[in-house]
Amino acid sequence: MKLLIRPAAEVAIKSKPVRRQQMRQLRQNIRKLLARLDPEIVVEGSWDRVDVDVPEGRGLLSPVLDELSRIPGISTIQEISVYPLVSLEDVGEKALEAYRDRLAGKTFAVRARRSGQHDFTSSELERQVGGFLLAKTDAAGVKLKAPDVEIRIDVRDDQFHVSHRKHEGLGGYPMGTVENVMTLVSGGYDSSVAAYLMMRRGLRSHFLFFNLGGQAHEVGVKQVASYLWNRYASSHSVKFISVPFEGVVAEIMRTVNHRHWGVVLKRQMLKAADKVAEEIRVEGLVMGDAVAQVSSQTLTNLNVVDRASNMVVLRPLIAMDKQQIIRIAHEIGTDSYARNMPEYCGVISQKPATRAKLHRVEHDESQMDPSILEQAVADRTETSVGRMMIPETTLDDVELVNTPSVDDVIIDVRHPDEEQRAPLTLTNNQVINIPFYELNQQVERLDNHRQYLLYCDKGTMSRVHAGHLKAEGHNNIKVYAPG
């Protein structure tokens, strides 16, 4: 079977030199990805098309079409049969073979393209083949505007092809023809959809993760990043960069006005991202913000956040509502990850400022110890997404306890402000308070012979940290999940 691939419309309108370069990159991407399915698949083409020759009898057509449908830069994929050009009557016969059973009771139109020297025009070809099919089939008639079936015939010099089926491509630009970016990912709906939209646009996107919750949280985000890369961007290598940010969070909570916690956290992330971006040579940062979705995403606050970075900050979701974002996540397959790994919300301001003043935020930040951020960036880890090994510990491995034993000790990991507003009291169990951002430092002081249950209101932080501690060998740590 042969496949004819047309580039996305935006590629087709480029100048010839740019178009040739983009088509060359598209062919390279297709060739690299299809070779993984079968090295005998042949990929060729010219400045306006890509031709793929799929060996017969190996069951390759479905996996090849699936792979092609996820490669940025492709508009359509057509299944075609190629024949030598003998006569217009023969063209009609070949079209009849392909479409006889599909035209019964349907309206149709013949769409012809032609290049080279011939003694007929494209219109004459369309009229003759259309008349032949109308006479030889049970078609309802010819309908040039919005027909039920379109029959596409492409004549090129001494050959022609008939298109059997047409499949939609991903669109956008070929990966590798646009600049590199770095997407700040958290494992939730927003950042994964933002990363996908950048990939679809042809931007090679590295993943930058700020670890607020230990290894288990990181595992979940790595799984999302690996999934996105494998499906939409594996023609190019990218990095997964993890920056340990628990110390920065603790410093924010110790020194910054609580109304500015969310804004300052994002500013600190952008400052760290700037330092990483300089080393891996990206041209922009990508974030999953949608205007007014939360308090830190008002236009005023986004402006204050962006002042922390010297790079362009791209926000592909900025005008989307949550349902649109969730719908795209479902379409691309990241919704299951987002459902099982809620976005980590360790820094929750009380009465957060929705119109933060830049000078006040900068004053708050000046009270922070800058060496903590510098150390976090220095301690980052970088892994090739293609070689990323996923540890076995995930959130699903964490044991939840509804009713604690009398000897179990409950650790309330909420922020002290939360704990004071709604203290946790149990009749028969000891409750101790260790804020999540101090848990790693204090866990070594706990009695290895006792069982500890982590608690927070929604269960997100407690599960994340329990998974992290379990991965480090603390098998006496579980989660208290009442109800």
Side-chain angles (χ1 to χ4, degrees), residues 306-377:
D306 284 3
R307 299 295 184 89
S309 173
N310 294 317
M311 305 197 69
V312 60
V313 180
L314 305 173
R315 293 183 171 90
L317 313 185
I318 194 67
M320 292 188 187
D321 60 45
K322 198 67 177 183
Q323 289 308 309
Q324 288 176 294
I325 296 168
I326 292 174
R327 183 167 61 250
I328 296 174
H330 176 73
E331 291 170 357
I332 65 176
T334 59
D335 57 334
S336 60
Y337 295 94
R339 285 198 306 269
N340 294 324
M341 171 60 80
E343 292 222 31
Y344 190 83
C345 48
V347 178
I348 305 173
S349 301
Q350 302 304 320
K351 297 182 179 179
T354 57
R355 295 178 181 272
K357 303 296 183 184
L358 179 60
H359 69 278
R360 293 179 180 173
V361 171
E362 289 178 333
H363 176 267
D364 278 2
E365 282 184 321
S366 69
Q367 308 303 306
M368 296 177 60
D369 180 354
S371 68
I372 295 177
L373 180 65
E374 293 172 3
Q375 189 61 49
V377 174

Side-chain angles (χ1 to χ4, degrees), residues 34 37 41 58-70:
L34 295 188
L37 298 176
I41 296 174
R58 302 186 187 181
L60 290 171
L61 183 58
S62 291
V64 165
L65 288 172
D66 177 62
E67 190 71 56
L68 291 172
S69 70
R70 296 183 276 104

Side-chain angles (χ1 to χ4, degrees), residues 200-240:
R200 181 186 178 277
R201 195 63 180 164
L203 286 94
R204 181 186 179 201
S205 179
H206 300 284
F207 298 93
L208 179 61
F209 168 61
F210 292 98
N211 194 337
L212 306 179
Q215 184 180 2
H217 186 203
E218 183 171 321
V219 167
V221 182
K222 279 183 173 180
Q223 289 172 332
V224 178
S226 179
Y227 172 85
L228 285 169
W229 178 79
N230 273 295
R231 285 190 66 80
Y232 303 107
S234 61
S235 59
H236 289 68
S237 62
V238 301
K239 293 181 178 181
F240 183 93

Side-chain angles (χ1 to χ4, degrees), residues 72 172-183 194-206 232-233 236 238 283-286 312 314:
Y173 290 112
M175 186 71 66
T177 60
V178 191
E179 291 94 336
N180 299 330
V181 295
M182 187 164 59
T183 302
Y196 159 75
L197 292 175
M198 291 294 100
M199 294 173 183
R200 181 186 178 277
R201 195 63 180 164
L203 286 94
R204 181 186 179 201
S205 179
H206 300 284
Y232 303 107
H236 289 68
V238 301
E283 304 301 324
L285 305 175
V286 180
V312 60
L314 305 173

Side-chain angles (χ1 to χ4, degrees), residues 9 38 146 168 263 389 421 448:
D38 192 314
E168 293 299 317
V263 170
M389 299 298 293
R421 283 194 308 275
N448 291 330

Side-chain angles (χ1 to χ4, degrees), residues 29-262:
N29 294 349
I30 293 171
R31 190 175 293 117
K32 180 177 181 179
L33 294 173
L34 295 188
R36 299 173 185 174
L37 298 176
D38 192 314
E40 294 187 22
I41 296 174
V42 178
V43 179
E44 298 175 332
S46 61
W47 73 288
D48 68 339
R49 59 188 278 168
V50 178
D51 299 293
V52 177
D53 195 343
V54 182
E56 299 282 355
R58 302 186 187 181
L60 290 171
L61 183 58
S62 291
V64 165
L65 288 172
D66 177 62
E67 190 71 56
L68 291 172
S69 70
R70 296 183 276 104
I71 297 177
I74 294 176
S75 173
T76 60
I77 307 125
Q78 298 177 53
E79 301 176 45
I80 64 173
S81 293
V82 181
Y83 306 97
L85 180 61
V86 178
S87 65
L88 293 186
E89 291 76 13
D90 185 62
V91 175
E93 290 285 356
K94 297 301 189 293
L96 179 63
E97 291 176 14
Y99 283 89
R100 186 196 308 270
D101 297 335
R102 296 164 59 185
L103 293 181
K106 303 286 184 64
T107 60
F108 73 93
V110 178
R111 313 291 193 201
R113 294 179 59 170
R114 186 181 60 84
S115 63
Q117 297 297 318
H118 305 97
D119 59 359
F120 57 86
T121 65
S122 298
S123 296
E124 289 171 343
L125 173 61
E126 290 173 348
R127 286 195 297 270
Q128 183 152 336
V129 173
F132 182 84
L133 293 175
L134 192 60
K136 297 289 186 178
T137 68
D138 295 324
V142 174
K143 185 179 180 182
L144 298 181
K145 186 176 182 179
D148 296 325
V149 180
E150 284 191 348
I151 299 168
R152 297 186 175 273
I153 300 173
D154 194 320
V155 179
R156 178 166 296 202
D157 297 324
D158 59 352
Q159 290 187 326
F160 75 95
H161 74 247
V162 177
S163 176
H164 296 280
R165 294 175 184 81
K166 184 178 178 181
H167 309 272
E168 293 299 317
L170 197 60
Y173 290 112
M175 186 71 66
T177 60
V178 191
E179 291 94 336
N180 299 330
V181 295
M182 187 164 59
T183 302
L184 280 63
V185 290
S186 64
Y189 288 102
D190 299 344
S191 60
S192 60
V193 172
Y196 159 75
L197 292 175
M198 291 294 100
M199 294 173 183
R200 181 186 178 277
R201 195 63 180 164
L203 286 94
R204 181 186 179 201
S205 179
H206 300 284
F207 298 93
L208 179 61
F209 168 61
F210 292 98
N211 194 337
L212 306 179
Q215 184 180 2
H217 186 203
E218 183 171 321
V219 167
V221 182
K222 279 183 173 180
Q223 289 172 332
V224 178
S226 179
Y227 172 85
L228 285 169
W229 178 79
N230 273 295
R231 285 190 66 80
Y232 303 107
S234 61
S235 59
H236 289 68
S237 62
V238 301
K239 293 181 178 181
F240 183 93
I241 302 145
S242 178
V243 181
F245 233 55
E246 289 175 313
V248 177
V249 170
E251 180 68 6
I252 290 172
M253 291 185 165
R254 279 195 288 264
T255 61
V256 173
N257 184 306
H258 65 83
R259 298 196 67 199
H260 293 155
W261 282 351

